[in-house]
Amino acid sequence: MNPADLGLPVDVPSTALFTDQYELTMLQAALKAGTADRRSVFEVFTRRLPEGRRYGVVAGTGRVLDAVENFRFDAGVLRFLREQQIVDEPTLQWLASYRFGGDIWGYPEGEVYFPGSPILRVEGSFAECVLLETVILSILNHDSAIAAAASRMSVAAGGRRLIEMGARRTHELAAVASSRAAYVGGFNSTSDLAAGFRYAIPTVGTSAHAFTLLHDSERDAFRAQVASLGRGTTLLVDTYDVAEAVRTAVDIAGPELGAVRIDSGDLLLVAHRVRAQLDELGAVNTKIVVTSDLDEYAIASLAAAPVDAYGVGTQLVTGSGHPTCSMVYKLVARAHSADAKAPLEPVAKKSLGGKLSIGGRKWAARRLDTEGVAEAEVIGTGEVPSELMDQQLLVELVKGGAIVAREPLDAARERHIAVRAGLPLSAMQLSRGEPVLPTEYV
């Protein structure tokens, strides 16, 4: 089975109530005013990247498609809205047959973005588009934040393997979404079995300190684990004395021991000592895995250490200090009717405080220099310049309400790795800085 066929990973009858109440009250008022069916264009973008970040990562697109497909007002949902008097009866009747029938274009999952990038463009009637605002933003803001943190950690790891292990540090459903987003951003595996089941992400895991403490001695614990899981298992060696644990581990498993895990102490110092000890004991192929509240900076600090893999939890699932991307969903164009031939008029919010938006249905392209390296994010509302036709970024995701762009999660992951490699080298710096590409409007 394709994991995408499993649908949205939440145990609810629909996604229709993953929304703010004012989406429905706006719908009611627009229905009464006769403006609900006006052809409209909404866009998702962010005005700025989180402080110090040089690029953003689009993640959650596949989950957005599931959410749109599952956005249905079934009998239970309609009963709730009626009992709570959220909207009137004519609006409830309209909602009963709701199916998104418009078009959605967007940056493909795994692509990078910058301030102003039209990450998602939703087109249809005002009524059908406005209802999707909250659920789209909740998915993209969360997943893109996790993927951006994961991408930075992937850069810091320099090709060493990364294990997502943050399920116990966040909401149980957010944990599954985090695992998915981390995989898009460059992680190799997860400890979360729900993520493995729903998205076919490779899963890993052996034992915790509790398993060692359960037994009468560390030797008994290691012997039991090896007997059950084989010599290729990973033994946790910092419950008591690390050096003694490593000796015991190799004594029991032999040089075929798969790996040892270090979860505390001065990881740089301990990793060097453990590597030297393993080599002296003949376990030259035994890997070293380190965990313990790592983030991208801690991972980078271990670049010179003989570490083979990193396990990351809290900092990953909280976006490494930036748990949201501050994306917004704004109406940028609308017509005076539902007629497909009616001209779209640009509309935009005018306000103080940095919350201006730019009207018009936008395209986006990434201009490359003579070496094929990205040099600018170009955004426009008119004709696409001929020299940028092949560098356009938006792809069709939904056409006439039908999903047309589902893809395996590995495709998004591979796309991100390739796109990231095409950015200027300064994008790989972990130091604070401005977006690595300027945004140009034409």
Side-chain angles (χ1 to χ4, degrees), residues 99-157:
R99 299 289 187 275
F100 179 73
D103 302 329
I104 299 179
W105 291 70
Y107 281 37
E109 191 158 18
E111 181 60 85
V112 298
Y113 70 87
F114 298 91
S117 296
I119 296 163
L120 202 72
R121 192 175 72 217
V122 183
E123 305 181 23
S125 71
F126 175 84
E128 64 182 334
C129 295
V130 75
L131 293 180
L132 299 176
E133 175 181 7
T134 304
V135 70
I136 285 176
L137 288 179
S138 67
I139 292 172
L140 292 180
N141 269 314
H142 174 270
D143 290 22
S144 298
I146 306 305
S151 180
R152 286 164 60 84
M153 293 174 189
S154 176
V155 168

Side-chain angles (χ1 to χ4, degrees), residues 156 160 238 242 261-277 288-292 294 297-310:
R160 295 171 176 177
D238 72 328
V242 173
R261 178 163 74 95
I262 307 166
D263 189 51
S264 59
D266 183 336
L267 297 178
L268 179 62
L269 175 63
V270 175
H272 278 287
R273 289 178 174 174
V274 168
R275 181 72 270 160
Q277 186 180 11
I288 297 176
V289 181
V290 297
T291 53
S292 186
L294 299 176
Y297 301 105
I299 292 170
S301 73
L302 292 168
V307 171
D308 299 285
Y310 305 94

Side-chain angles (χ1 to χ4, degrees), residues 15-21 23-24 71 130-135:
T15 56
L17 292 184
F18 288 175
T19 191
D20 292 303
Q21 181 169 316
E23 313 291 8
L24 300 189
F71 206 93
V130 75
L131 293 180
L132 299 176
E133 175 181 7
T134 304
V135 70

Side-chain angles (χ1 to χ4, degrees), residues 36 50 96 141 163 181 195 217 274 290-291 299 313 317 321 341 357 359 390:
N141 269 314
I163 307 163
S217 69
V274 168
V290 297
T291 53
I299 292 170
V317 299
K341 295 181 180 180
S357 58
D390 293 338

Side-chain angles (χ1 to χ4, degrees), residues 14-221:
S14 79
T15 56
L17 292 184
F18 288 175
T19 191
D20 292 303
Q21 181 169 316
Y22 78 174
E23 313 291 8
L24 300 189
T25 54
M26 281 193 289
L27 169 64
Q28 176 178 304
L31 287 171
K32 283 191 173 183
T35 53
D37 64 348
R38 288 186 171 184
R39 190 159 62 95
S40 301
V41 179
F42 286 81
E43 289 176 352
V44 174
F45 63 93
T46 184
R47 297 182 176 93
R48 63 191 65 84
L49 297 181
E51 183 180 358
R53 295 287 172 87
R54 296 174 181 268
Y55 61 90
V57 180
V58 178
T61 308
R63 296 207 308 121
V64 166
L65 298 181
D66 289 337
V68 171
E69 194 169 57
N70 285 282
F71 206 93
R72 304 285 186 269
F73 292 83
D74 59 25
V77 170
L78 292 170
R79 183 169 57 252
F80 164 77
L81 295 175
R82 181 176 289 108
E83 290 173 350
Q84 298 299 313
Q85 299 182 354
I86 304 297
V87 290
D88 60 19
E89 197 61 34
T91 304
L92 290 171
Q93 293 175 15
W94 189 94
L95 292 172
S97 59
Y98 176 83
R99 299 289 187 275
F100 179 73
D103 302 329
I104 299 179
W105 291 70
Y107 281 37
E109 191 158 18
E111 181 60 85
V112 298
Y113 70 87
F114 298 91
S117 296
I119 296 163
L120 202 72
R121 192 175 72 217
V122 183
E123 305 181 23
S125 71
F126 175 84
E128 64 182 334
C129 295
V130 75
L131 293 180
L132 299 176
E133 175 181 7
T134 304
V135 70
I136 285 176
L137 288 179
S138 67
I139 292 172
L140 292 180
N141 269 314
H142 174 270
D143 290 22
S144 298
I146 306 305
S151 180
R152 286 164 60 84
M153 293 174 189
S154 176
V155 168
R160 295 171 176 177
R161 297 186 71 80
L162 289 162
I163 307 163
E164 184 281 314
M165 46 194 303
R168 65 192 60 196
R169 303 301 188 195
T170 188
H171 185 280
E172 66 271 19
L173 296 180
V176 181
S178 294
S179 294
R180 185 186 183 283
Y183 191 69
V184 170
F187 271 59
N188 303 96
S189 57
T190 180
S191 66
D192 192 311
L193 290 177
F197 171 70
R198 292 184 172 111
Y199 300 118
I201 300 169
T203 61
V204 297
T206 52
S207 68
H209 292 104
F211 185 77
T212 300
L213 297 171
L214 167 69
H215 292 79
D216 295 334
S217 69
E218 192 168 53
R219 177 174 291 275
D220 288 346

Side-chain angles (χ1 to χ4, degrees), residues 10 16 20 40 143 308 325 329 375 380 383 386 393-394 401:
V10 290
D20 292 303
S40 301
D143 290 22
D308 299 285
C325 302
Y329 183 97
E375 66 176 10
E383 292 294 322
S386 58
L393 295 165
L394 279 78

